[in-house]
Each structure stands twice: as C-alpha cells, then as structure tokens.
Amino acid sequence: MKLSLFKILLVSTFLALLSCEKKAEKPKPYQAGVLISFDDAYVDEWFDTDKVLKKYNWKATFCVCRIDSIGAPQIKKLFELQKEGHEIAGHGYHHYNAVKFVAAHGINEYMKQEIDPMMASMKRLSFNVTSFAYPYGERSDALDAALSAKYKVIRGRAFCEDVPEKEGCYFRNSKFLYGFDIDDSHVHFSIPYLLELLDDAKKKNKILILCSHKPVKKLTGNYQTRIETLEFLCKYMKLNNLKFYRLSDLDNLETIK
C-alpha cells in the first residue's frame, strides 16, 4: 500500500530529526591547550604567583603533599586558589617516592601510609580531590592499577625525549599522564624547547602537560621555576588561543581521530 504524501513527509522529518540529534550528541574534539601543575607545598609562592598571572585568566592544578603540616594561613590560601577556579590535587601524605617505598614495603603499606591519611585529611578540610601526582614523578603499572579506583586522573613526569613529536607530555586519551618539568634546574628545560613544545601543541591540536614546583622571581636553588617563564607561557597561550586545563578537566575528554 502506498504511503500518502503527508506520511512520507512525516517519516522524512522524523528521520531528519534523528540525524540532527545524533550529530548534536557527538562530542566535540578538545581545544589545543596547556595544563600547568605545581607539586609539593609552596602555597605562599603559588598564591603570590596567582596574583601576577590572574590578568591572563590562567588556571592551574596545585598538587599538595604533607597536608597536615601546612599552617592555617596556607590552608586558607589553598581555599582562595580553589575559589579562583584552580584545582587542588593530591601529592602524597609524606611525599614518599612511590616506586621505592613499594619495593621496600609493598603496595598495601603504601596505601595505608601515603594515600589513605592524605585523602582523609583532604576530606576533613573539604577539599574534593580527584587527581593525583606522583612525588618525584616515578610510577609503575602496579601503582597505577592500585590508585586507578581512587583517582580520575594520575600524573607522573616525562623523562624525556628531546623531540616534541616523541615526548610523553601530551594528553593521549588516558587517565595516566606525564608532565614535562619546567623547573629551571631540569636538565631538558629551556625557553626555546618549551616554545617547540607549545608550537607542536598548537599546530597538532594537542594538550601539553607541564609540571613545576616553586615559582620565584629570582632563582636561588633547585625545583624552582621563574615567574617570568610562567608569564611567557601565559602570553603565548593568549596570543595563540590555547586553553588552560586542569588535571580534572582531562577526565573523559574526546580525542581527535
């Protein structure tokens, strides 16, 4: 039996709506950008740096260790950073090297001494921690598996290729990440190489993952990043329309095929 013209139009409209709905549901590819993360407990320096970089509307992830050794004024500053839109992440209760500790004492003891008390204190202080960065950057498959149920995103450090195309410090549709260290004392760090990494992220629509420790105006030791370097980074991102990411932002991102 032949369909009436009205029924044909009705079916065609329904199919067209279904097609549009499917297109609308398809996740958009992520925007090229940079994730800036800081490790340890340099809260005063992080807070002061935020004042300098706030004009760029920057966002960062602050991975905090030894949470129960931080003073009340610093805890208040962490809340202020969180209120500004930055992320507070975990970095261990004692800051143990996870790989070395597990080799000596086992994973269960690591969780008991390093992870569980950190998460309990973070919860007590009302920090909702969903990301973790390994102290010293070292990791293993066994550790990743043990921590996977507790964290949406887990970051180590990249040790290190010297060629942007081969670097491990880009997001690759995985919760297990590696950051490139931009501390001035890091053997592979230089402004020209950082520029190569940024250019590669921009041209190939990648997310570059960076890690740092203590931001300073003037270098006085290791594990320090010049605020000048961070400002260079923010200026480049604004000029080239790169997005600021936090660790938690990388959970469930759609990759470009």
Side-chain angles (χ1 to χ4, degrees), residues 118-150:
M118 177 190 71
M119 294 303 291
S121 292
M122 288 290 198
K123 184 177 180 180
R124 174 176 53 81
L125 292 166
S126 300
F127 292 114
N128 181 27
V129 172
T130 63
S131 307
F132 180 77
Y134 284 105
Y136 307 101
E138 293 186 50
R139 68 199 306 164
S140 69
D141 291 342
L143 276 160
D144 281 348
L147 295 177
S148 184
K150 290 185 174 288

Side-chain angles (χ1 to χ4, degrees), residues 194-211:
L194 176 59
L195 187 57
E196 285 187 52
L197 295 174
L198 289 166
D199 285 342
D200 192 55
K202 174 187 143 187
K203 291 173 184 176
K204 299 178 182 176
N205 211 83
K206 298 178 180 180
I207 298 173
L208 174 64
I209 301 162
L210 303 175
C211 57

Side-chain angles (χ1 to χ4, degrees), residues 112-231:
K112 183 179 177 181
Q113 291 194 36
E114 185 76 337
I115 300 301
D116 295 343
M118 177 190 71
M119 294 303 291
S121 292
M122 288 290 198
K123 184 177 180 180
R124 174 176 53 81
L125 292 166
S126 300
F127 292 114
N128 181 27
V129 172
T130 63
S131 307
F132 180 77
Y134 284 105
Y136 307 101
E138 293 186 50
R139 68 199 306 164
S140 69
D141 291 342
L143 276 160
D144 281 348
L147 295 177
S148 184
K150 290 185 174 288
Y151 302 105
K152 293 180 179 180
V153 180
I154 301 171
R155 200 218 77 213
R157 280 171 57 195
F159 300 97
C160 189
E161 288 285 351
D162 292 330
V163 181
E165 290 79 6
K166 295 182 179 180
E167 281 285 7
C169 55
Y170 294 102
F171 176 64
R172 289 186 171 89
N173 199 29
S174 170
K175 70 185 294 177
F176 305 114
L177 313 173
Y178 296 85
F180 177 78
D181 194 331
I182 58 171
D183 288 336
D184 200 82
S185 58
H186 182 52
V187 65
H188 294 284
F189 171 74
S190 69
I191 290 294
Y193 188 57
L194 176 59
L195 187 57
E196 285 187 52
L197 295 174
L198 289 166
D199 285 342
D200 192 55
K202 174 187 143 187
K203 291 173 184 176
K204 299 178 182 176
N205 211 83
K206 298 178 180 180
I207 298 173
L208 174 64
I209 301 162
L210 303 175
C211 57
S212 173
H213 291 84
K214 182 180 181 180
V216 296
K217 291 181 179 179
K218 185 177 180 181
L219 296 172
T220 58
N222 294 330
Y223 295 101
Q224 295 181 355
T225 297
R226 297 175 192 266
I227 294 177
E228 183 182 354
T229 298
L230 296 169
E231 189 149 23

Side-chain angles (χ1 to χ4, degrees), residues 39-123:
D39 294 353
D40 295 348
Y42 300 108
V43 180
D44 292 332
E45 289 81 4
W46 297 341
F47 190 79
D48 291 343
T49 300
D50 181 60
K51 292 178 182 178
V52 176
L53 301 182
K54 195 177 295 187
K55 60 189 174 187
Y56 300 103
N57 196 28
W58 81 311
K59 294 294 178 284
T61 300
F62 299 101
C63 307
V64 183
C65 64
R66 303 186 180 101
I67 186 67
D68 285 340
S69 298
I70 295 174
Q74 285 70 41
I75 294 294
K76 184 178 179 181
K77 287 180 178 180
L78 285 176
F79 276 114
E80 286 295 317
L81 289 169
Q82 184 174 257
K83 187 178 177 182
E84 291 286 337
H86 303 290
E87 179 182 4
I88 307 302
H91 192 51
Y93 192 68
H94 299 283
H95 198 265
Y96 293 144
N97 182 307
V99 173
K100 292 179 180 177
F101 186 94
V102 167
H105 306 286
I107 284 183
N108 289 340
E109 195 63 24
Y110 177 77
M111 302 295 285
K112 183 179 177 181
Q113 291 194 36
E114 185 76 337
I115 300 301
D116 295 343
M118 177 190 71
M119 294 303 291
S121 292
M122 288 290 198
K123 184 177 180 180

